[in-house]
Amino acid sequence: MPAKSTLSLDDVPAAIAARFDEAQKSLANHRKNCVALHKLHVQASRVKDPGKKNEDALTGEWAFGDAFIDMVNRTLAMKKGAFADRIVRFVGSYVKMMNDKGESHSPRTEETFASRFVTRLLEWLFQGFKAKNKMVRQRSIQLVIEMMANIGEIDESTYNQLRDNLIERLCDKEPLIRAHAVIALSKLVGTEDPEELKQGEKTCLDLLLECTQYDTAPEVRRAALINLPVTPETLPVIITRTRDTDTLTRKLTYSSVLEPKLGHPRHLTIAQREDITKVGLGDREATVRVAAGNMITKWLDIAMSEQDPPGQLPETWVGDDGGVMKGFINFLTFFDVVGPGEAIAVDAMLSVFTTKPALLDAFVFSDDFWANLIPESAVLARVFVDQCLESKSENRLEDAAIPVVTAFAFHIQEAYNALLSFMQEMDFLQIGEPDDEESEAREEELAKKELILGELLKIALKLDYMDEIGRRKVFSVVKDMLAHPHLPPGLIEHCLDVLSKILPSERELIRIVVEIIIELRDDDEVEPAIDDVRQNFDGSRSDITQKERSMRRSKDRHQMTPEEQQQNDLTDMRCLVLCIGMLERVNGTFEDNSTLEGILTDLIVPAVKRKELALREKGLVALGLCCLIARNMATNSFQLFLNQVQTAPEDLKLKVLQIVFDLLVVYDRDFLGRSEEISRQIISFILQTLDSEESPAIQSMLCTGMCKLLLSGQVTDSKVLLSLALIYISPSTMDNAELKQCLSYFFPVYCYSSRENQNRMQSIFSEAFDLASRMHEDLEDEQKEDSKLVSLHQFGLLMIDWTDMTKLVEKVPPPRPSDRNPHADLALQLLLALYDSERSDDTRKAFCQFLGHLQFFPSKEVGLELDSRTVLKLNILIENLQEVSNPTQAECSCLHAVYCSNVRSTMPLLTVLSNASKIVSKRPSGDVWRVSIPGDMWMRSLRNSMMT
């Protein structure tokens, strides 16, 4: 038997208190005090009462536990501070030491004094979870978190208590306590058996995912996000936090979760990789963009460390010595460069170049590289050239051995020949039995070859064309590509870009494209005169006369067979695409380019008259582009476009509306500025279309167009502003994110850029608020509870904010003597509205609250002094409201003294109006509003004086 301990239980509290006193002073002495405390604990555990059984005999353990818990209790109520935090760390350290030593001396299945102590301490802290004092709840959870890391094994009953209490704290009203509960609950993830849970009961992981997404406090969402395990089940929720409203949460999603915990980016799907890259690099906060860039740089390091890139690079290309280029090509395989992910992959590469600009010095493009292009390597070369030119590092292009123009033209020719050969092979294979898998594989291969050729054309656009031989070679290749009837449509734009750069003038571009169109529309009897085109390249001939060549076909449409009609329709569609691309690059007038007359007469106008939607759409777009460079044509065709808006389907209506707004912006004097009647008719037509339209895309297009007209000053009608304000808060547009974003940006920019715009916004306040009130009255209860709906109070505060003079931009000129103070006029509107007996009590109370938010300033700060008439009107209106509401004598004296002492009184007018709003709000609900003034004559005269 062990020797009896000489420890006196009366000395235990003082000894424990001494350890705690030292521990709260510094973290450096925690280990020493833990050792001393454990020694004391061991001695106390040996003190037993032989006259009792079971736990009652453990008098020493109970005495130690009572003294320890007493010390912990002194810490629970302490507010934030280093002393309490050190005690929390000390308790966790002691529990860790005690469990470590207990496991080394006793089997896990045997109950020890350490396990009994931990269980008792936890049960005591569970009581603190439900305390009224928020600091007690917070400290209790902090202590549990410190203990859970090294708590050892606990019985099932204690585990269930711990889990239930933590889940209950997830609903605590204090965000910080919920955050600590989330951290503690995250340590239980994976320890529970889903089969033992009740039906419908959520696991700890499910609860953490809910907190990550739906908790209103950003600190709680961050705590849940950082402590979530990164698994295929949790990744979709983690990715949603890249769009969190809190900036720090978005940053931590990249820096503390995705970058350190994800591992290989292939753990994500391609769509997920593209999503987080696009969102992170496009974030409005620089800190988030930096965090996303660091994550992408780590992805590049992972790609460079891989031996065999999944892209299966050709063995004939050795690459650079450092493996940088192959690493980048492997990095690009993380994205779908052949599909819509190309732009995202380019942004990712540019981010890496920004983070590590020295990597650009390792690029060397050998002949083998160009001979064995794949989509990723083509994108890499194009981005390298763009980055060098943008950073003005042309010497890097020479060091990287970028081919000269003539050599590069041959690379384009080789890529084009490979594309044509594959297209012919596809046509031959499609004659036999169709195979879906093989057909899909061929389509994917065709898309790859198209991308390679497109990237080469983009590079060709950035080359130096001082070499005349190389310039002619590029022209010959690109022109032959455009003349091919089956060239993929995605390459037409790139070819036209190259032509517009290497040709000497727009007239030459028009001439070449018209010649190509004529060749495409010619019958087999007419041989294309390519030699004449090349002969005219130097600009010696600028026009193609109708005598030599004509775009009119030898047969009318009714004389053709169905097969010929179908082929001609395909040819016309290709010609219209070429025509549209050419017109988009023309800045001269229609009259200066007589060659366009033939295209308009024989191609565009017949296409507009066609019933087929695709041809009619291309024809209208081409006609609209012609109108942008021909004033007379625009005035004659404008009614045609308005008629198409009424009858066209949604896709075509979007195109036509774009044309309409472009014409209104370009030809202001011919339409909106011609006369008030014409302007009123056009605006009424657009507003009626906006009111009757249900398509979100068309609604967004109409609002965007009207915003442009308002910002440019071409439209000054307050009805347009009123309509946009009501659409902004309308329940029917709550889910139209594009429209909401447009108007959210428009209203502040519009109002803060001009005093006239603020006055215009102030003039519609009453009418807009009344219409918004009726709109809310017609809503159902479920719609009113929707968080996306803008309430009447929010709407009023927004309009007050938009009319705030202090938020005008600095470039706004100083006020003129005739300028009005928008908030002063708004105060007159609100006070007059309070006399209206037809308004509801809620509306009057809202108006009284709005009075307290109005801003009035001395002339030294803003330079807009209130005139005496406005002050008099405000004084009369408020004094009569005081008579109606029966204010106290002190309040009346205060208001009278302020107004008699002029606006330059030390007491701001805002205080006066705030007092008035309090006086008016004192009226009991249900009382009848009465104006104690002699008759309605005074009110009419007051309104007339305000209008003048």
PDB file of all heavy atoms in Angstrom, residues 14 42 241 259 273 326 331 334 362 378 384-385 393 551 559 647 692 792 837 874 904 933 939:
ATOM      1  N   ALA A  14      -5.552  27.495  -1.075  1.00  0.00           N
ATOM      2  CA  ALA A  14      -4.501  28.510  -1.139  1.00  0.00           C
ATOM      3  C   ALA A  14      -3.429  28.123  -2.153  1.00  0.00           C
ATOM      4  O   ALA A  14      -2.921  28.976  -2.900  1.00  0.00           O
ATOM      5  CB  ALA A  14      -3.885  28.701   0.247  1.00  0.00           C
ATOM      6  N   VAL A  42      -2.359  15.109  -7.706  1.00  0.00           N
ATOM      7  CA  VAL A  42      -2.059  13.697  -7.413  1.00  0.00           C
ATOM      8  C   VAL A  42      -2.062  13.458  -5.899  1.00  0.00           C
ATOM      9  O   VAL A  42      -2.605  12.458  -5.398  1.00  0.00           O
ATOM     10  CB  VAL A  42      -0.714  13.308  -8.036  1.00  0.00           C
ATOM     11  CG1 VAL A  42      -0.295  11.909  -7.574  1.00  0.00           C
ATOM     12  CG2 VAL A  42      -0.793  13.361  -9.555  1.00  0.00           C
ATOM     13  N   ARG A 241     -18.962  31.325 -50.360  1.00  0.00           N
ATOM     14  CA  ARG A 241     -18.453  32.433 -49.540  1.00  0.00           C
ATOM     15  C   ARG A 241     -17.515  33.340 -50.320  1.00  0.00           C
ATOM     16  O   ARG A 241     -17.114  34.386 -49.796  1.00  0.00           O
ATOM     17  CB  ARG A 241     -17.723  31.885 -48.306  1.00  0.00           C
ATOM     18  CG  ARG A 241     -18.614  31.179 -47.308  1.00  0.00           C
ATOM     19  CD  ARG A 241     -19.803  32.002 -46.903  1.00  0.00           C
ATOM     20  NE  ARG A 241     -20.962  31.732 -47.745  1.00  0.00           N
ATOM     21  CZ  ARG A 241     -21.942  32.585 -47.919  1.00  0.00           C
ATOM     22  NH1 ARG A 241     -21.915  33.789 -47.386  1.00  0.00           N
ATOM     23  NH2 ARG A 241     -22.972  32.266 -48.684  1.00  0.00           N
ATOM     24  N   GLU A 259      -6.586  28.118 -50.326  1.00  0.00           N
ATOM     25  CA  GLU A 259      -5.146  28.015 -50.601  1.00  0.00           C
ATOM     26  C   GLU A 259      -4.441  26.989 -49.724  1.00  0.00           C
ATOM     27  O   GLU A 259      -3.742  26.111 -50.242  1.00  0.00           O
ATOM     28  CB  GLU A 259      -4.496  29.397 -50.445  1.00  0.00           C
ATOM     29  CG  GLU A 259      -3.003  29.377 -50.721  1.00  0.00           C
ATOM     30  CD  GLU A 259      -2.363  30.739 -50.524  1.00  0.00           C
ATOM     31  OE1 GLU A 259      -3.110  31.727 -50.325  1.00  0.00           O
ATOM     32  OE2 GLU A 259      -1.131  30.822 -50.560  1.00  0.00           O
ATOM     33  N   ARG A 273     -13.313  25.635 -60.458  1.00  0.00           N
ATOM     34  CA  ARG A 273     -12.048  26.365 -60.572  1.00  0.00           C
ATOM     35  C   ARG A 273     -12.256  27.679 -61.319  1.00  0.00           C
ATOM     36  O   ARG A 273     -11.716  28.719 -60.922  1.00  0.00           O
ATOM     37  CB  ARG A 273     -11.004  25.500 -61.294  1.00  0.00           C
ATOM     38  CG  ARG A 273     -10.542  24.291 -60.518  1.00  0.00           C
ATOM     39  CD  ARG A 273      -9.278  23.708 -61.112  1.00  0.00           C
ATOM     40  NE  ARG A 273      -9.502  23.081 -62.397  1.00  0.00           N
ATOM     41  CZ  ARG A 273      -9.764  21.794 -62.592  1.00  0.00           C
ATOM     42  NH1 ARG A 273      -9.865  20.988 -61.538  1.00  0.00           N
ATOM     43  NH2 ARG A 273      -9.926  21.290 -63.788  1.00  0.00           N
ATOM     44  N   LYS A 326       6.254  24.851 -69.886  1.00  0.00           N
ATOM     45  CA  LYS A 326       5.457  23.634 -69.730  1.00  0.00           C
ATOM     46  C   LYS A 326       4.612  23.695 -68.466  1.00  0.00           C
ATOM     47  O   LYS A 326       3.505  23.161 -68.433  1.00  0.00           O
ATOM     48  CB  LYS A 326       6.373  22.410 -69.697  1.00  0.00           C
ATOM     49  CG  LYS A 326       6.895  22.020 -71.062  1.00  0.00           C
ATOM     50  CD  LYS A 326       7.521  20.642 -71.057  1.00  0.00           C
ATOM     51  CE  LYS A 326       7.902  20.214 -72.472  1.00  0.00           C
ATOM     52  NZ  LYS A 326       8.462  18.856 -72.522  1.00  0.00           N
ATOM     53  N   PHE A 331      -0.684  24.417 -66.282  1.00  0.00           N
ATOM     54  CA  PHE A 331      -1.569  25.271 -65.493  1.00  0.00           C
ATOM     55  C   PHE A 331      -2.839  25.613 -66.266  1.00  0.00           C
ATOM     56  O   PHE A 331      -3.943  25.655 -65.711  1.00  0.00           O
ATOM     57  CB  PHE A 331      -0.810  26.536 -65.093  1.00  0.00           C
ATOM     58  CG  PHE A 331      -1.650  27.613 -64.484  1.00  0.00           C
ATOM     59  CD1 PHE A 331      -2.097  27.528 -63.183  1.00  0.00           C
ATOM     60  CD2 PHE A 331      -2.006  28.730 -65.227  1.00  0.00           C
ATOM     61  CE1 PHE A 331      -2.869  28.528 -62.622  1.00  0.00           C
ATOM     62  CE2 PHE A 331      -2.777  29.733 -64.679  1.00  0.00           C
ATOM     63  CZ  PHE A 331      -3.203  29.629 -63.371  1.00  0.00           C
ATOM     64  N   PHE A 334      -5.997  23.448 -66.211  1.00  0.00           N
ATOM     65  CA  PHE A 334      -6.963  23.538 -65.111  1.00  0.00           C
ATOM     66  C   PHE A 334      -8.250  24.230 -65.556  1.00  0.00           C
ATOM     67  O   PHE A 334      -9.248  24.175 -64.834  1.00  0.00           O
ATOM     68  CB  PHE A 334      -6.364  24.320 -63.936  1.00  0.00           C
ATOM     69  CG  PHE A 334      -5.177  23.646 -63.296  1.00  0.00           C
ATOM     70  CD1 PHE A 334      -4.267  24.371 -62.543  1.00  0.00           C
ATOM     71  CD2 PHE A 334      -4.966  22.293 -63.449  1.00  0.00           C
ATOM     72  CE1 PHE A 334      -3.184  23.763 -61.947  1.00  0.00           C
ATOM     73  CE2 PHE A 334      -3.866  21.661 -62.860  1.00  0.00           C
ATOM     74  CZ  PHE A 334      -2.976  22.405 -62.121  1.00  0.00           C
ATOM     75  N   ALA A 362      11.802  33.862 -68.824  1.00  0.00           N
ATOM     76  CA  ALA A 362      12.145  32.469 -69.128  1.00  0.00           C
ATOM     77  C   ALA A 362      11.526  31.974 -70.432  1.00  0.00           C
ATOM     78  O   ALA A 362      11.814  30.852 -70.854  1.00  0.00           O
ATOM     79  CB  ALA A 362      11.697  31.561 -67.972  1.00  0.00           C
ATOM     80  N   ALA A 378      -1.076  27.837 -77.530  1.00  0.00           N
ATOM     81  CA  ALA A 378      -1.459  29.001 -78.330  1.00  0.00           C
ATOM     82  C   ALA A 378      -1.925  30.149 -77.441  1.00  0.00           C
ATOM     83  O   ALA A 378      -1.568  31.315 -77.663  1.00  0.00           O
ATOM     84  CB  ALA A 378      -2.554  28.608 -79.321  1.00  0.00           C
ATOM     85  N   PHE A 384       1.422  36.035 -73.556  1.00  0.00           N
ATOM     86  CA  PHE A 384       2.790  36.532 -73.372  1.00  0.00           C
ATOM     87  C   PHE A 384       3.018  37.792 -74.219  1.00  0.00           C
ATOM     88  O   PHE A 384       3.573  38.787 -73.741  1.00  0.00           O
ATOM     89  CB  PHE A 384       3.789  35.441 -73.746  1.00  0.00           C
ATOM     90  CG  PHE A 384       5.209  35.913 -73.786  1.00  0.00           C
ATOM     91  CD1 PHE A 384       5.936  36.074 -72.612  1.00  0.00           C
ATOM     92  CD2 PHE A 384       5.828  36.214 -74.996  1.00  0.00           C
ATOM     93  CE1 PHE A 384       7.248  36.521 -72.636  1.00  0.00           C
ATOM     94  CE2 PHE A 384       7.131  36.657 -75.032  1.00  0.00           C
ATOM     95  CZ  PHE A 384       7.843  36.809 -73.852  1.00  0.00           C
ATOM     96  N   VAL A 385       2.582  37.757 -75.468  1.00  0.00           N
ATOM     97  CA  VAL A 385       2.763  38.917 -76.340  1.00  0.00           C
ATOM     98  C   VAL A 385       1.973  40.105 -75.812  1.00  0.00           C
ATOM     99  O   VAL A 385       2.488  41.240 -75.762  1.00  0.00           O
ATOM    100  CB  VAL A 385       2.339  38.557 -77.778  1.00  0.00           C
ATOM    101  CG1 VAL A 385       2.344  39.804 -78.657  1.00  0.00           C
ATOM    102  CG2 VAL A 385       3.256  37.496 -78.357  1.00  0.00           C
ATOM    103  N   SER A 393       7.489  46.138 -72.673  1.00  0.00           N
ATOM    104  CA  SER A 393       8.728  45.355 -72.610  1.00  0.00           C
ATOM    105  C   SER A 393       8.952  44.673 -73.951  1.00  0.00           C
ATOM    106  O   SER A 393       8.980  43.438 -74.060  1.00  0.00           O
ATOM    107  CB  SER A 393       8.664  44.325 -71.476  1.00  0.00           C
ATOM    108  OG  SER A 393       8.404  44.938 -70.239  1.00  0.00           O
ATOM    109  N   MET A 551     -23.839  42.267-107.140  1.00  0.00           N
ATOM    110  CA  MET A 551     -24.257  41.335-106.099  1.00  0.00           C
ATOM    111  C   MET A 551     -25.607  40.697-106.390  1.00  0.00           C
ATOM    112  O   MET A 551     -26.046  39.832-105.661  1.00  0.00           O
ATOM    113  CB  MET A 551     -24.306  42.067-104.746  1.00  0.00           C
ATOM    114  CG  MET A 551     -22.934  42.265-104.140  1.00  0.00           C
ATOM    115  SD  MET A 551     -23.028  42.913-102.470  1.00  0.00           S
ATOM    116  CE  MET A 551     -23.595  44.546-102.814  1.00  0.00           C
ATOM    117  N   GLN A 559     -37.440  31.234-108.842  1.00  0.00           N
ATOM    118  CA  GLN A 559     -36.963  30.365-109.904  1.00  0.00           C
ATOM    119  C   GLN A 559     -36.000  29.302-109.397  1.00  0.00           C
ATOM    120  O   GLN A 559     -35.576  28.440-110.160  1.00  0.00           O
ATOM    121  CB  GLN A 559     -36.252  31.213-110.977  1.00  0.00           C
ATOM    122  CG  GLN A 559     -37.159  32.212-111.674  1.00  0.00           C
ATOM    123  CD  GLN A 559     -36.405  33.099-112.634  1.00  0.00           C
ATOM    124  OE1 GLN A 559     -35.169  33.195-112.580  1.00  0.00           O
ATOM    125  NE2 GLN A 559     -37.148  33.745-113.536  1.00  0.00           N
ATOM    126  N   THR A 647     -43.538  44.267 -82.549  1.00  0.00           N
ATOM    127  CA  THR A 647     -43.959  42.972 -83.101  1.00  0.00           C
ATOM    128  C   THR A 647     -42.892  41.887 -83.004  1.00  0.00           C
ATOM    129  O   THR A 647     -43.218  40.714 -83.137  1.00  0.00           O
ATOM    130  CB  THR A 647     -44.346  43.152 -84.578  1.00  0.00           C
ATOM    131  OG1 THR A 647     -43.219  43.674 -85.310  1.00  0.00           O
ATOM    132  CG2 THR A 647     -45.511  44.119 -84.706  1.00  0.00           C
ATOM    133  N   SER A 692     -45.211  47.601 -70.067  1.00  0.00           N
ATOM    134  CA  SER A 692     -45.897  46.401 -70.537  1.00  0.00           C
ATOM    135  C   SER A 692     -44.971  45.204 -70.706  1.00  0.00           C
ATOM    136  O   SER A 692     -45.449  44.080 -70.888  1.00  0.00           O
ATOM    137  CB  SER A 692     -46.588  46.689 -71.872  1.00  0.00           C
ATOM    138  OG  SER A 692     -45.640  47.084 -72.857  1.00  0.00           O
ATOM    139  N   LEU A 792     -40.989  51.330 -47.773  1.00  0.00           N
ATOM    140  CA  LEU A 792     -41.261  52.753 -47.994  1.00  0.00           C
ATOM    141  C   LEU A 792     -40.276  53.637 -47.240  1.00  0.00           C
ATOM    142  O   LEU A 792     -39.828  54.673 -47.738  1.00  0.00           O
ATOM    143  CB  LEU A 792     -42.700  53.072 -47.571  1.00  0.00           C
ATOM    144  CG  LEU A 792     -43.808  52.464 -48.439  1.00  0.00           C
ATOM    145  CD1 LEU A 792     -45.170  52.758 -47.827  1.00  0.00           C
ATOM    146  CD2 LEU A 792     -43.732  53.001 -49.855  1.00  0.00           C
ATOM    147  N   SER A 837     -55.462  65.686 -45.267  1.00  0.00           N
ATOM    148  CA  SER A 837     -56.247  64.813 -44.391  1.00  0.00           C
ATOM    149  C   SER A 837     -56.454  63.428 -44.984  1.00  0.00           C
ATOM    150  O   SER A 837     -56.847  62.500 -44.273  1.00  0.00           O
ATOM    151  CB  SER A 837     -57.622  65.443 -44.121  1.00  0.00           C
ATOM    152  OG  SER A 837     -58.325  65.652 -45.345  1.00  0.00           O
ATOM    153  N   LEU A 874     -41.429  77.870 -44.256  1.00  0.00           N
ATOM    154  CA  LEU A 874     -41.177  76.823 -43.265  1.00  0.00           C
ATOM    155  C   LEU A 874     -41.713  77.244 -41.900  1.00  0.00           C
ATOM    156  O   LEU A 874     -42.290  76.426 -41.156  1.00  0.00           O
ATOM    157  CB  LEU A 874     -39.678  76.525 -43.188  1.00  0.00           C
ATOM    158  CG  LEU A 874     -39.041  75.842 -44.411  1.00  0.00           C
ATOM    159  CD1 LEU A 874     -37.536  75.808 -44.267  1.00  0.00           C
ATOM    160  CD2 LEU A 874     -39.580  74.431 -44.577  1.00  0.00           C
ATOM    161  N   ARG A 904     -29.047  82.183 -39.859  1.00  0.00           N
ATOM    162  CA  ARG A 904     -27.663  82.207 -39.391  1.00  0.00           C
ATOM    163  C   ARG A 904     -27.555  82.001 -37.886  1.00  0.00           C
ATOM    164  O   ARG A 904     -26.498  82.153 -37.309  1.00  0.00           O
ATOM    165  CB  ARG A 904     -27.018  83.539 -39.760  1.00  0.00           C
ATOM    166  CG  ARG A 904     -26.882  83.752 -41.265  1.00  0.00           C
ATOM    167  CD  ARG A 904     -26.125  85.009 -41.548  1.00  0.00           C
ATOM    168  NE  ARG A 904     -25.961  85.236 -42.973  1.00  0.00           N
ATOM    169  CZ  ARG A 904     -26.837  85.847 -43.741  1.00  0.00           C
ATOM    170  NH1 ARG A 904     -27.972  86.285 -43.206  1.00  0.00           N
ATOM    171  NH2 ARG A 904     -26.617  86.013 -45.016  1.00  0.00           N
ATOM    172  N   ILE A 933     -56.506  77.408 -39.271  1.00  0.00           N
ATOM    173  CA  ILE A 933     -56.222  78.667 -39.947  1.00  0.00           C
ATOM    174  C   ILE A 933     -57.502  79.107 -40.632  1.00  0.00           C
ATOM    175  O   ILE A 933     -58.388  78.295 -40.909  1.00  0.00           O
ATOM    176  CB  ILE A 933     -55.087  78.508 -40.968  1.00  0.00           C
ATOM    177  CG1 ILE A 933     -55.417  77.366 -41.936  1.00  0.00           C
ATOM    178  CG2 ILE A 933     -53.780  78.228 -40.297  1.00  0.00           C
ATOM    179  CD1 ILE A 933     -54.370  77.179 -42.996  1.00  0.00           C
ATOM    180  N   MET A 939     -54.118  78.482 -47.658  1.00  0.00           N
ATOM    181  CA  MET A 939     -53.365  77.346 -48.181  1.00  0.00           C
ATOM    182  C   MET A 939     -53.142  77.492 -49.688  1.00  0.00           C
ATOM    183  O   MET A 939     -52.058  77.212 -50.197  1.00  0.00           O
ATOM    184  CB  MET A 939     -54.109  76.041 -47.880  1.00  0.00           C
ATOM    185  CG  MET A 939     -53.966  75.569 -46.447  1.00  0.00           C
ATOM    186  SD  MET A 939     -52.263  75.175 -46.051  1.00  0.00           S
ATOM    187  CE  MET A 939     -51.982  73.819 -47.150  1.00  0.00           C
TER     188      MET A 939
END
